[in-house]
Amino acid sequence: MTKLGIMTDENTTTQRTQPTEAATEAAIDTGAQQRDQGAQAAAESAAPVDFEPLTATYERLRHSTDPAELSEFARRPLPDRADQAAFSRATALLEAVAGNPHTPVADRVFLADTMPFPNVLVKLSEDPEPSVRQAVAANGDDKNWLVGRLTKDPVPAVRDTALKNKRTSWKMRLEGAQDPTADAETLDFLGVLGTESEEGAPAVLSSMVRRAVALNPNTSEAMLAKLANDPSAEVRHAVESRR
């Protein structure tokens, strides 16, 4: 009887202990689950609620009629290049701003002056406002094919600016020197290439440009006098042929 009583007491104790341990484990699991849910909620609340996909933002800016919004975006400092995703996003969106005619002209000129990104400069090179295209023509980060295209612009000021850009190819410079509509100031610039400026320029190519300047009817007398003493015999002969 005694043994049976002891066993009964032990069973009772075990039965009492098991629910207690199960309850403790359940409480621990519930607490962990609540902590996980709290962490997830905190992460979700920390994420930007106004995030907009790139394509949606691009289209919104491309069709925006709000000059203030477009101006703010045009002047906004670019993200650090180390943040490649943010930097790429910003430069892509600048293309939309650059191509929007509602972006103020001053801001489009600012972008044309300061941006080194081909996608933005190409967009601005087609701008209907000549001052914007002229700013692109002067940009030292132009690709040579882009600035070469601007040497054929219908506006003389844009053409002349493009011809003075160091990124312009010698072929385009030669064609510019041969252009009967080129002004004297531009011809003065082209007439000293390889002598007084860009002294390391290819001798043959630069002398071809100077010879074309010597033959251009718009070349000033002062430039002709200078070319009469050019180190290239072909250039000097071109000047003599006009006497």
Side-chain angles (χ1 to χ4, degrees):
M1 291 295 292
T2 304
K3 290 182 179 180
L4 180 60
I6 293 172
M7 290 177 63
T8 302
D9 291 342
E10 288 176 351
N11 290 339
T12 303
T13 303
T14 302
Q15 290 172 354
R16 289 174 181 173
T17 303
Q18 286 176 346
T20 303
E21 291 175 350
T24 302
E25 291 176 359
I28 292 173
D29 291 342
T30 301
Q33 184 178 4
Q34 289 175 344
R35 285 194 298 273
D36 291 343
Q37 290 174 346
Q40 183 177 356
E44 290 175 354
S45 64
V49 296
D50 59 346
F51 179 79
E52 189 175 41
L54 174 60
T55 52
T57 307
Y58 185 98
E59 289 302 312
R60 179 172 59 78
L61 290 172
R62 189 165 74 92
H63 297 291
S64 174
T65 58
D66 183 354
E69 176 191 32
L70 294 165
S71 178
E72 188 277 330
F73 201 97
R75 303 280 179 163
R76 184 184 300 175
L78 289 170
D80 193 297
R81 282 182 180 269
D83 188 349
Q84 188 172 1
F87 187 83
S88 298
R89 177 185 174 90
T91 56
L93 294 177
L94 278 176
E95 179 184 325
V97 174
N100 190 326
H102 292 95
T103 301
V105 172
D107 295 311
R108 301 197 318 259
V109 170
F110 167 77
L111 292 174
D113 276 334
T114 61
M115 290 295 112
F117 312 115
N119 61 320
V120 176
L121 294 175
V122 168
K123 186 69 69 174
L124 293 167
S125 72
E126 301 168 348
D127 198 285
E129 174 58 46
S131 63
V132 177
R133 300 198 306 277
Q134 186 173 2
V136 175
N139 192 310
D141 289 307
D142 286 339
K143 299 297 183 183
N144 62 355
W145 60 265
L146 177 59
V147 73
R149 190 170 74 185
L150 290 171
T151 64
K152 307 298 183 183
D153 194 273
V155 177
V158 178
R159 294 199 303 268
D160 294 344
T161 301
L163 286 170
K164 296 175 184 177
N165 192 320
K166 290 186 177 182
R167 305 285 291 184
T168 303
S169 68
W170 286 101
K171 179 179 183 294
M172 293 296 102
R173 286 172 164 179
L174 177 59
E175 292 181 5
Q178 294 169 336
D179 184 359
T181 66
D183 62 26
E185 181 182 353
T186 300
L187 293 170
D188 284 348
F189 171 82
L190 296 172
V192 296
L193 290 174
T195 53
E196 296 179 11
S197 67
E198 298 188 28
E199 296 181 8
V204 174
L205 295 176
S206 59
S207 66
M208 289 173 65
V209 172
R210 297 196 306 276
R211 179 179 181 277
V213 171
L215 295 173
N216 194 304
N218 297 326
T219 300
S220 66
E221 287 297 324
M223 176 52 63
L224 285 174
K226 184 176 293 186
L227 292 173
N229 297 309
D230 194 273
S232 169
E234 291 185 354
V235 176
R236 296 196 302 271
H237 293 158
V239 175
E240 292 170 2
S241 70
R242 296 188 54 176
R243 301 300 186 189

